[in-house]
Amino acid sequence: MVYEINANIDDMNSEIYSYIYEQILKMGALDVYTQSIYMKKNRPAVKLSVICEEEKLDEIVEFILKETTTLGIRYSKFSRKTLDRKMVKIKTKYGNISIKFAYYKSKILKYSPEYEECKVIAENFNIPLKVVYEDITCTVNKYLESFNKK
Amino acid sequence: MVYEINANIDDMNSEIYSYIYEQILKMGALDVYTQSIYMKKNRPAVKLSVICEEEKLDEIVEFILKETTTLGIRYSKFSRKTLDRKMVKIKTKYGNISIKFAYYKSKILKYSPEYEECKVIAENFNIPLKVVYEDITCTVNKYLESFNKK
Amino acid sequence: MVYEINANIDDMNSEIYSYIYEQILKMGALDVYTQSIYMKKNRPAVKLSVICEEEKLDEIVEFILKETTTLGIRYSKFSRKTLDRKMVKIKTKYGNISIKFAYYKSKILKYSPEYEECKVIAENFNIPLKVVYEDITCTVNKYLESFNKK
Amino acid sequence: MVYEINANIDDMNSEIYSYIYEQILKMGALDVYTQSIYMKKNRPAVKLSVICEEEKLDEIVEFILKETTTLGIRYSKFSRKTLDRKMVKIKTKYGNISIKFAYYKSKILKYSPEYEECKVIAENFNIPLKVVYEDITCTVNKYLESFNKK
Amino acid sequence: MVYEINANIDDMNSEIYSYIYEQILKMGALDVYTQSIYMKKNRPAVKLSVICEEEKLDEIVEFILKETTTLGIRYSKFSRKTLDRKMVKIKTKYGNISIKFAYYKSKILKYSPEYEECKVIAENFNIPLKVVYEDITCTVNKYLESFNKK
Amino acid sequence: MVYEINANIDDMNSEIYSYIYEQILKMGALDVYTQSIYMKKNRPAVKLSVICEEEKLDEIVEFILKETTTLGIRYSKFSRKTLDRKMVKIKTKYGNISIKFAYYKSKILKYSPEYEECKVIAENFNIPLKVVYEDITCTVNKYLESFNKK
């Protein structure tokens, strides 16, 4: 079980959002995101949503009440189903890269290379970031195929 | 009672969405829709929402975990209140057309012609689709008035 | 030829928007609308767009610079094609109502009842606003059919 | 505890929304807002959300079913945490203005001047609305500082 | 040079959009897309945008005026820079698949398998559509590597 | 005169966006932002917009073609009107802070404290970031009032 916390925010300097994302993730939230909403009298606003576990609920609610301009937040329990994840180092032509593998019923279902490592490679090798992703993804694809054949 | 299932998806080829809409509706979901959201580090993403009954929950959750790039979904129970609906054939100047009537406490509250039938008419008669809608809507409006007078 | 003026606004109290809509329309703008955008560092923002004729350009640009938090606006010329419009009073079961007719090459293409008059009817007769719209639309539809037969 | 009511609306004349906002707030809802969503077959739609207390639930649900084109609504309970609020008149260079103060654990956390009063000032004094907000905000800021020193 | 045509649409049955997308693409438009916007008086609306070449301009403008509820459209010239594209059949473990290659200064920059062919494979082989994409993408990746070595 | 560059992107890993924002701003673009759009076949997509001067146009266009999945970009000239800006250090209770002043016809119209400096203060003093903004804004407000009296 997790909690989803929602707050409608309609008169806040938008520079503050990146600070709020960072702080809430540091507190241990599972996810943070925003959506554009429209309130009465043509007011464009932002709905801030946070997914967190029960033990973080009070701290995050208090943070949102203090740091944002919202006058009230609401929250509710949700069931949650996630894939198991494991970080593995895989050898690629750019060196060893961390790959996040996601499992469902102990079968690998998805994998993705770490963003920050790929970004460094793109800058060092001066190649497009999306090419780095593609190359690494295909290396992992080959690795899994040979693995499954055994 | 129905379930609302939510999944945040941030790195999926967007061509896959129309396939996912179709498959989930085929499985018997009551509604499927997407919203644009923004995640940490300026990541534009999509929140996929599905409304379904309890007996479909497991199958749809498993489908989303397997077919999309999401690493976790969440869901919660909602109460639901719907209008009763009945499909009726009504005679119009374009032939007999299926009209969906919606009732509240056994009074007709809303009605709308079937999209696919109207589309065929617009193409065959070479008239704007919105004119077809208007004409049929007004035929139904007259039909209901005469009906209510009796 | 008309101008489209665009301004990105990212740190304004959103209560101010309805005031800005009103004032800009009073100055004679042809259209005003907003879109949700996202800027660097996860900043949700609003893009304000105004369509106006050349003689209003300077006044509206100055107004936006003074009244909003934007630091710069941009604008460009657009060609424009509009339908001719005429306001006509039509007799309905709710009394005489103003209908806006839109013409293309002197043929009636679209029509819509005046929002403010329909709203008063909905409140006085205590019926849903959308029913008022439907009834009046169908009255106009019949009126046009008899007109076209002559 | 409050209720969040959600309805997906995909074929309604958008002039009706401002009427719906007004009426639902008049009925005593705590908040009303809309979000842009996308349904199957490329249909842009609107998700209407209302936050209200239990005793208003039935009336608002019935209103939405009758006044909008939706065929079904869903709702669920949410916990809620709000700041205490108090309206106070403060003397400013534009005269006495109503300020909404928001408290958390009996400490003033936020304050904002009343929109409608500021709007009148902006029009009467012919100064930008955002300047009126800034001036009044700073007057309140000074007032609180002197208050805290005592 | 291409034209961008824009129309604000605020009171149209949303079922009509998929028809409009289809018809405009059939007429030869280069691209069609929609954005959610907000107009005065809290009206959620949709901005329809079409990119097309000059010889299609008049036909598409007339179509939008006739088929949608808009009362006016606007358009403007844009410069355009596209990648060269070539469709090539590549042998994969699912059979021969059409791949779209995109070139910049005669170097392959991007490639993507045809959506409709991948969808058929996903349904026939009963595997997730995203897995089909990944497998084919990696086959092309290998193909290009061997090609570049020669 | 400035250029607005637009690219529709519909199948890119969204982790790449923050990299693209950074790189394009480093190249000297005046502004970068994204909007959520919807393309044919229910594809959620992102429209990337860049505002830049003519001398940066070619470099940025080439960067977008290489680094994103877009197959074509379009651009057009816009007139631009900006406020003059000056950075000034102002003494506040948190120390000397950089304030950006914006002028119109040599009158100060707007001012805002530097985000990064305020963020450091919020973290060091352990007070909400929005309180830091308010305090500094009011100090500047007082400073300007005394300045105008002379």
Side-chain angles (χ1 to χ4, degrees):
Chain A
M1 297 297 279
V2 290
Y3 280 85
E4 180 174 311
I5 308 169
N6 291 314
N8 292 1
I9 300 177
D10 74 342
D11 54 355
M12 191 165 84
N13 186 324
S14 68
E15 299 188 313
I16 294 180
Y17 283 98
S18 76
Y19 178 74
I20 284 173
Y21 272 72
E22 275 172 44
Q23 298 295 321
I24 290 176
L25 288 169
K26 254 193 231 166
M27 286 177 195
L30 300 167
D31 209 354
V32 186
Y33 61 95
T34 54
Q35 290 172 269
S36 300
I37 61 173
Y38 270 75
M39 307 184 76
K40 62 176 177 178
K41 295 187 186 167
N42 264 323
R43 292 182 194 165
V46 169
K47 181 175 155 195
L48 173 71
S49 298
V50 180
I51 312 294
C52 70
E53 276 158 16
E54 185 156 17
E55 77 240 36
K56 303 288 182 183
L57 181 67
D58 287 344
E59 190 191 357
I60 292 177
V61 164
E62 191 172 325
F63 177 82
I64 296 174
L65 285 172
K66 278 190 180 163
E67 290 279 343
T68 75
T69 56
T70 198
L71 296 179
I73 61 94
R74 52 203 185 281
Y75 54 90
S76 172
K77 261 188 198 167
F78 276 75
S79 301
R80 198 170 188 242
K81 201 161 218 164
T82 54
L83 301 177
D84 292 326
R85 277 164 266 190
K86 206 161 75 184
M87 215 48 130
V88 176
K89 287 269 180 196
I90 298 274
K91 202 181 146 187
T92 75
K93 66 178 171 189
Y94 307 111
N96 289 332
I97 303 292
S98 307
I99 310 291
K100 185 162 57 183
F101 284 96
Y103 299 80
Y104 184 69
K105 298 180 177 166
S106 74
K107 246 190 71 182
I108 290 172
L109 215 58
K110 298 161 197 178
Y111 48 88
S112 59
E114 266 298 280
Y115 170 69
E116 296 297 343
E117 297 182 20
C118 293
K119 195 179 145 184
V120 170
I121 291 167
E123 286 172 337
N124 290 352
F125 287 70
N126 197 24
I127 43 177
L129 181 50
K130 84 182 176 45
V131 171
V132 175
Y133 267 98
E134 267 166 27
D135 281 347
I136 294 176
T137 300
C138 290
T139 302
V140 179
N141 189 283
K142 267 187 265 183
Y143 168 84
L144 289 176
E145 275 189 358
S146 68
F147 190 82
N148 290 334
K149 275 181 199 145
K150 288 171 202 172
Chain B
M1 297 298 278
V2 290
Y3 279 85
E4 180 174 312
I5 307 168
N6 290 316
N8 292 1
I9 299 177
D10 75 341
D11 54 355
M12 190 166 84
N13 186 324
S14 68
E15 298 189 311
I16 294 180
Y17 284 98
S18 75
Y19 178 75
I20 284 173
Y21 272 73
E22 274 172 43
Q23 298 295 321
I24 290 176
L25 288 169
K26 255 192 230 165
M27 285 177 197
L30 300 167
D31 209 354
V32 186
Y33 61 95
T34 54
Q35 290 172 269
S36 300
I37 61 173
Y38 271 75
M39 305 184 78
K40 61 174 180 182
K41 296 188 185 165
N42 264 323
R43 291 183 195 165
V46 169
K47 181 175 156 195
L48 173 71
S49 299
V50 180
I51 312 293
C52 70
E53 276 159 14
E54 185 154 18
E55 76 239 39
K56 305 288 181 184
L57 182 65
D58 288 343
E59 190 191 358
I60 293 176
V61 164
E62 191 172 324
F63 177 82
I64 296 174
L65 284 173
K66 278 190 180 163
E67 291 279 342
T68 74
T69 56
T70 197
L71 295 180
I73 60 96
R74 53 203 185 278
Y75 53 89
S76 172
K77 261 190 198 166
F78 276 75
S79 301
R80 197 168 188 242
K81 201 162 219 165
T82 54
L83 300 177
D84 292 326
R85 277 163 265 191
K86 207 161 75 183
M87 214 46 131
V88 177
K89 286 271 179 193
I90 297 274
K91 203 182 146 185
T92 75
K93 66 179 172 189
Y94 306 111
N96 288 331
I97 303 292
S98 307
I99 310 291
K100 185 161 59 184
F101 284 96
Y103 298 80
Y104 184 68
K105 297 181 177 165
S106 74
K107 245 189 73 181
I108 290 171
L109 214 60
K110 298 161 198 178
Y111 48 89
S112 58
E114 266 299 279
Y115 169 70
E116 294 298 343
E117 298 182 19
C118 293
K119 195 179 145 184
V120 170
I121 291 166
E123 287 172 336
N124 289 351
F125 287 70
N126 197 24
I127 43 178
L129 182 50
K130 83 182 177 45
V131 170
V132 175
Y133 267 98
E134 266 166 30
D135 282 346
I136 294 176
T137 300
C138 291
T139 301
V140 179
N141 189 282
K142 268 187 261 184
Y143 168 84
L144 290 176
E145 276 190 357
S146 69
F147 189 83
N148 289 334
K149 273 182 198 144
K150 288 171 201 174
Chain C
M1 298 298 279
V2 290
Y3 280 84
E4 180 173 313
I5 308 168
N6 290 316
N8 292 1
I9 299 177
D10 74 341
D11 55 355
M12 191 166 82
N13 186 324
S14 69
E15 298 189 311
I16 294 181
Y17 283 97
S18 75
Y19 178 74
I20 283 173
Y21 271 73
E22 275 173 41
Q23 297 294 321
I24 289 176
L25 287 169
K26 254 192 227 166
M27 284 177 197
L30 300 167
D31 209 354
V32 186
Y33 61 95
T34 54
Q35 291 172 268
S36 299
I37 61 174
Y38 272 75
M39 306 183 77
K40 62 176 176 177
K41 295 186 186 167
N42 261 325
R43 292 181 195 165
V46 169
K47 181 175 156 196
L48 173 71
S49 298
V50 180
I51 312 294
C52 70
E53 275 159 15
E54 185 155 18
E55 76 238 38
K56 304 288 182 185
L57 181 66
D58 287 344
E59 190 190 356
I60 293 176
V61 164
E62 192 172 323
F63 177 82
I64 296 173
L65 285 172
K66 279 189 179 163
E67 291 278 344
T68 74
T69 56
T70 197
L71 296 179
I73 61 96
R74 54 203 184 281
Y75 53 90
S76 172
K77 262 189 199 166
F78 277 74
S79 301
R80 197 170 189 241
K81 201 161 220 164
T82 53
L83 300 177
D84 292 326
R85 277 163 266 189
K86 209 161 76 184
M87 214 49 130
V88 175
K89 287 270 179 193
I90 298 274
K91 202 180 148 187
T92 75
K93 66 178 173 189
Y94 306 111
N96 289 330
I97 303 291
S98 307
I99 310 291
K100 185 161 60 183
F101 284 97
Y103 299 80
Y104 184 68
K105 297 183 175 164
S106 72
K107 247 190 70 183
I108 291 172
L109 215 60
K110 297 159 198 177
Y111 48 87
S112 59
E114 267 299 279
Y115 169 70
E116 295 298 343
E117 298 182 19
C118 293
K119 194 179 146 185
V120 169
I121 291 166
E123 287 172 335
N124 290 352
F125 287 70
N126 196 23
I127 43 178
L129 182 49
K130 86 182 174 46
V131 171
V132 175
Y133 266 98
E134 265 167 29
D135 282 346
I136 294 176
T137 299
C138 291
T139 302
V140 179
N141 188 282
K142 268 188 264 184
Y143 168 84
L144 289 176
E145 276 189 357
S146 68
F147 190 83
N148 289 334
K149 275 181 198 147
K150 288 171 200 172
Chain D
M1 297 298 278
V2 291
Y3 279 84
E4 181 173 312
I5 307 168
N6 290 316
N8 291 2
I9 299 177
D10 74 341
D11 54 354
M12 191 166 83
N13 186 325
S14 69
E15 299 189 312
I16 294 180
Y17 283 98
S18 75
Y19 177 75
I20 284 172
Y21 272 73
E22 275 173 42
Q23 298 295 321
I24 290 176
L25 289 169
K26 254 192 227 166
M27 285 177 197
L30 299 167
D31 209 353
V32 186
Y33 60 95
T34 55
Q35 290 172 270
S36 300
I37 61 173
Y38 271 78
M39 306 183 78
K40 62 176 178 177
K41 297 189 186 165
N42 262 323
R43 293 182 194 166
V46 168
K47 181 175 156 195
L48 173 71
S49 298
V50 179
I51 312 293
C52 70
E53 277 158 15
E54 186 155 17
E55 77 239 37
K56 304 287 182 185
L57 181 66
D58 288 343
E59 190 190 359
I60 292 176
V61 164
E62 192 172 324
F63 177 82
I64 296 174
L65 283 173
K66 279 191 180 163
E67 291 278 342
T68 75
T69 56
T70 197
L71 296 180
I73 62 95
R74 52 203 185 280
Y75 53 89
S76 172
K77 261 189 198 167
F78 276 75
S79 301
R80 197 169 188 241
K81 201 162 219 163
T82 54
L83 301 177
D84 292 325
R85 278 164 265 192
K86 207 161 76 183
M87 214 48 130
V88 177
K89 287 271 179 193
I90 298 275
K91 203 180 147 188
T92 75
K93 66 178 171 188
Y94 306 110
N96 289 331
I97 303 292
S98 307
I99 310 291
K100 185 161 59 183
F101 284 96
Y103 298 80
Y104 185 68
K105 297 180 176 166
S106 74
K107 245 190 72 182
I108 290 172
L109 213 60
K110 298 160 198 179
Y111 48 87
S112 59
E114 267 299 279
Y115 169 69
E116 295 298 343
E117 298 181 20
C118 292
K119 196 180 144 182
V120 169
I121 291 166
E123 287 173 336
N124 289 351
F125 287 70
N126 196 24
I127 43 177
L129 181 50
K130 84 182 175 46
V131 171
V132 175
Y133 267 98
E134 267 166 29
D135 282 347
I136 294 176
T137 300
C138 290
T139 302
V140 179
N141 189 282
K142 268 188 262 183
Y143 168 84
L144 290 176
E145 276 189 357
S146 70
F147 190 83
N148 290 334
K149 274 182 198 144
K150 286 171 203 174
Chain E
M1 298 296 279
V2 291
Y3 279 85
E4 181 174 311
I5 308 169
N6 290 315
N8 292 1
I9 299 177
D10 74 341
D11 54 355
M12 192 165 81
N13 186 322
S14 70
E15 298 189 313
I16 295 181
Y17 283 98
S18 76
Y19 178 75
I20 284 173
Y21 271 73
E22 275 173 42
Q23 297 294 321
I24 290 176
L25 288 169
K26 254 193 228 165
M27 285 177 198
L30 300 166
D31 208 353
V32 186
Y33 61 95
T34 55
Q35 289 171 270
S36 299
I37 61 173
Y38 271 75
M39 306 185 76
K40 62 176 176 177
K41 296 187 184 166
N42 262 324
R43 292 182 195 166
V46 169
K47 180 175 156 195
L48 173 70
S49 298
V50 180
I51 312 293
C52 70
E53 275 160 17
E54 184 154 19
E55 76 239 39
K56 305 287 183 185
L57 181 65
D58 288 343
E59 190 191 357
I60 292 175
V61 164
E62 192 172 323
F63 177 82
I64 296 174
L65 285 173
K66 280 190 179 163
E67 291 278 343
T68 74
T69 55
T70 197
L71 296 180
I73 61 94
R74 52 202 186 280
Y75 53 90
S76 172
K77 260 188 200 168
F78 276 74
S79 301
R80 197 168 188 243
K81 202 162 219 163
T82 54
L83 300 177
D84 291 325
R85 277 163 266 190
K86 209 161 74 182
M87 214 47 132
V88 176
K89 287 270 179 193
I90 298 274
K91 202 181 147 186
T92 74
K93 67 178 171 188
Y94 306 110
N96 288 330
I97 304 292
S98 308
I99 310 291
K100 186 162 58 183
F101 284 96
Y103 298 80
Y104 184 68
K105 297 181 177 166
S106 73
K107 248 189 71 182
I108 290 171
L109 214 60
K110 297 159 198 179
Y111 48 88
S112 59
E114 268 299 279
Y115 169 69
E116 295 298 343
E117 298 182 19
C118 293
K119 195 179 144 184
V120 169
I121 292 166
E123 288 173 334
N124 290 350
F125 287 70
N126 196 23
I127 43 178
L129 182 49
K130 83 180 179 44
V131 170
V132 175
Y133 267 98
E134 266 167 28
D135 280 347
I136 295 177
T137 299
C138 291
T139 302
V140 179
N141 189 282
K142 268 187 262 183
Y143 168 84
L144 290 175
E145 275 189 358
S146 69
F147 189 83
N148 289 334
K149 273 180 199 150
K150 287 172 201 172
Chain F
M1 298 297 280
V2 291
Y3 280 83
E4 180 173 314
I5 307 169
N6 290 315
N8 292 1
I9 299 176
D10 74 341
D11 55 354
M12 191 166 83
N13 185 323
S14 69
E15 298 188 313
I16 294 181
Y17 284 98
S18 76
Y19 178 74
I20 284 173
Y21 271 74
E22 274 173 43
Q23 297 295 322
I24 290 176
L25 288 169
K26 253 193 229 167
M27 286 178 197
L30 300 167
D31 209 354
V32 186
Y33 61 96
T34 54
Q35 290 172 269
S36 299
I37 62 173
Y38 271 75
M39 306 184 78
K40 61 176 176 174
K41 296 186 186 166
N42 263 325
R43 292 183 196 164
V46 169
K47 181 175 156 196
L48 173 71
S49 298
V50 179
I51 312 293
C52 70
E53 275 159 17
E54 185 155 18
E55 77 239 38
K56 305 287 183 186
L57 182 66
D58 287 343
E59 190 190 357
I60 293 175
V61 164
E62 192 173 323
F63 177 82
I64 296 174
L65 284 173
K66 279 191 182 162
E67 291 278 343
T68 75
T69 56
T70 196
L71 296 179
I73 62 94
R74 52 202 186 282
Y75 53 89
S76 172
K77 262 189 198 167
F78 276 74
S79 300
R80 199 171 187 241
K81 202 161 219 165
T82 54
L83 300 177
D84 292 326
R85 278 163 266 190
K86 210 160 74 183
M87 213 49 130
V88 176
K89 288 269 179 193
I90 298 274
K91 201 182 149 187
T92 74
K93 65 178 172 189
Y94 306 110
N96 289 331
I97 303 292
S98 306
I99 311 291
K100 184 161 59 182
F101 284 97
Y103 298 80
Y104 185 68
K105 297 181 176 166
S106 72
K107 247 189 70 180
I108 289 171
L109 214 60
K110 297 159 198 178
Y111 47 88
S112 58
E114 268 298 278
Y115 169 69
E116 295 298 343
E117 298 182 19
C118 292
K119 195 179 144 183
V120 170
I121 291 166
E123 288 172 335
N124 289 351
F125 287 71
N126 196 22
I127 42 178
L129 181 50
K130 83 182 177 47
V131 170
V132 175
Y133 265 98
E134 266 167 28
D135 281 347
I136 294 177
T137 300
C138 290
T139 303
V140 179
N141 189 282
K142 267 188 262 184
Y143 168 84
L144 289 176
E145 275 189 357
S146 69
F147 189 83
N148 289 334
K149 273 181 198 146
K150 286 172 201 171

